[in-house]
Amino acid sequence: MAKGRKTETVAERPVELAYRPTVGELTSALRARARNTGAGRFQRRALIWTSAVSAVGALLSSAGSGRRVPLYVGLVLFAAFMTAVPWLQARRLHRLAERQGDICGTVDDTGVRLTTAHSSAGHDWHLYSRYVETPELFVLLSADKSAVGFAVLPKRAVADPEEVDRLRAVLDRRLVRADAEAPGSPRSRGRAVGRGAGSVGLLLLGLLLFFFAFAAVRHATHPDRFPGIQNNTAPMSAVMLGLGALAVAGAWWLVRRMTAMRIVTAVLAVLVLLAGGAVLYRVGPMLHCWGSDRIAREPAGAYVCHDF
């Protein structure tokens, strides 16, 4: 009985925290929030699709002209800016946190209490509905769908590594773990199957694009079968090579956390990329004629550009 009372008393003892947030931790928290809210997921998908469509449009629009460098630069700057948005937001939050100084606090079944040199605040659990765990943080998300409010609790803030388990236990009792998913659950298996099928589909798409890239320059690479001046399809072939490489990269990204599928995908990706490399070997010597309408292959094997 005495032992049981002692265990209960230890369990009720608050978890003590002492830390000063960093830009990296705030950036990680913002990205974790984005992954676990509908608005954040929509923004990520919109960014991916916008970047993909813009990239394809830029490549296709410049296939017949070599003077579209500003278009490429603008696309790269747009993608870089959108990717850096969480870091920029974290910088602003960090400047505010720096003025508060070091943070000390406690976490128990009644809520979260945080104190700085200039302020003191208490947050009851009804303000939060779920939490996300990353390798370095616990991120508490507010109850609204967009999780406008959030709290960052770094794991390094506790004095003893065992306190991390106690902190996690308190959060599990009071909140729902947003990213919790049992490895053997139907949802987990369904996602694994979907990712595997998507990976295979992207690999097949990459192989198909590489085939079309080869077909696009077939006439120019066989002057004995198709003599004379040919249409310059090398830029279009290069576009399809780039899209095929992106498809292969996407296939790897889908299964990067699945050990078995990662190995299988790596083997298949190497084979597909070898096919792409063979096409690039044929297309490469033609690319100096990117802005030309016609192209012809000399007996020595070099390509001559023609503009009409």
Side-chain angles (χ1 to χ4, degrees):
M1 294 294 291
K3 183 177 180 181
R5 286 194 297 270
K6 182 178 180 181
T7 302
E8 184 178 357
T9 302
V10 172
E12 293 177 353
R13 179 168 55 86
V15 179
E16 297 183 357
L17 307 172
Y19 64 99
R20 178 177 291 194
T22 65
V23 175
E25 289 171 345
L26 293 172
T27 303
S28 179
L30 289 170
R31 286 175 175 161
R33 182 182 67 169
R35 287 193 301 268
N36 289 275
T37 58
R41 287 190 291 267
F42 175 79
Q43 290 176 357
R44 291 183 66 192
R45 294 190 185 106
L47 172 61
I48 292 172
W49 282 107
T50 300
S51 300
V53 172
S54 301
V56 173
L59 290 171
L60 291 177
S61 66
S62 62
S65 173
R67 296 178 294 276
R68 296 297 181 91
V69 174
L71 190 62
Y72 291 118
V73 174
L75 178 61
V76 172
L77 291 178
F78 168 76
F81 172 76
M82 294 303 296
T83 303
V85 164
W87 181 81
L88 295 174
Q89 293 175 334
R91 290 280 299 178
R92 296 180 62 185
L93 292 174
H94 184 257
R95 284 196 293 267
L96 177 62
E98 279 292 297
R99 289 197 290 268
Q100 297 294 324
D102 293 335
I103 299 175
C104 297
T106 60
V107 179
D108 56 23
D109 285 309
T110 64
V112 181
R113 305 289 182 267
L114 300 176
T115 303
T116 71
H118 307 287
S119 65
S120 178
H123 305 281
D124 295 337
W125 290 117
H126 75 273
L127 295 176
Y128 302 103
S129 62
R130 58 202 188 280
Y131 81 95
V132 182
E133 182 177 358
T134 74
E136 301 86 15
L137 307 171
F138 293 105
V139 184
L140 281 56
L141 304 177
S142 58
D144 56 287
K145 292 183 179 180
S146 299
V148 174
F150 67 98
V152 183
L153 304 178
K155 295 180 180 178
R156 63 178 177 82
V158 299
D160 190 339
E162 294 182 357
E163 295 290 278
V164 174
D165 296 330
R166 291 189 56 238
L167 178 55
R168 185 185 296 109
V170 174
L171 297 178
D172 285 335
R173 286 197 301 269
R174 308 303 302 184
L175 304 176
V176 175
R177 184 175 174 130
D179 56 349
E181 188 173 288
S185 65
R187 184 180 179 185
S188 176
R189 290 195 297 269
R191 285 190 175 184
V193 172
R195 286 178 176 272
S199 177
V200 172
L202 285 173
L203 287 174
L204 291 176
L205 176 62
L207 187 61
L208 185 64
L209 288 169
F210 290 156
F211 172 78
F212 286 148
F214 171 77
V217 296
R218 186 169 62 93
H219 286 199
T221 55
H222 293 87
D224 52 334
R225 301 179 192 173
F226 311 100
I229 300 176
Q230 309 288 341
N231 291 328
N232 184 16
T233 55
M236 187 64 64
S237 181
V239 169
M240 287 185 283
L241 280 173
L243 295 177
L246 288 176
V248 174
W252 168 261
W253 184 85
L254 280 177
V255 297
R256 67 193 187 282
R257 297 178 181 174
M258 302 166 59
T259 304
M261 280 300 301
R262 186 171 59 197
I263 297 173
V264 174
T265 301
V267 174
L268 294 176
V270 168
L271 296 177
V272 174
L273 289 175
L274 285 175
V279 179
L280 181 61
Y281 177 77
R282 293 175 176 270
V283 176
M286 310 178 193
L287 293 181
H288 69 283
C289 296
W290 185 279
S292 301
D293 298 324
R294 301 288 189 273
I295 193 172
R297 185 178 181 182
E298 296 180 334
Y303 286 91
V304 180
C305 312
H306 296 273
D307 295 302
F308 297 97

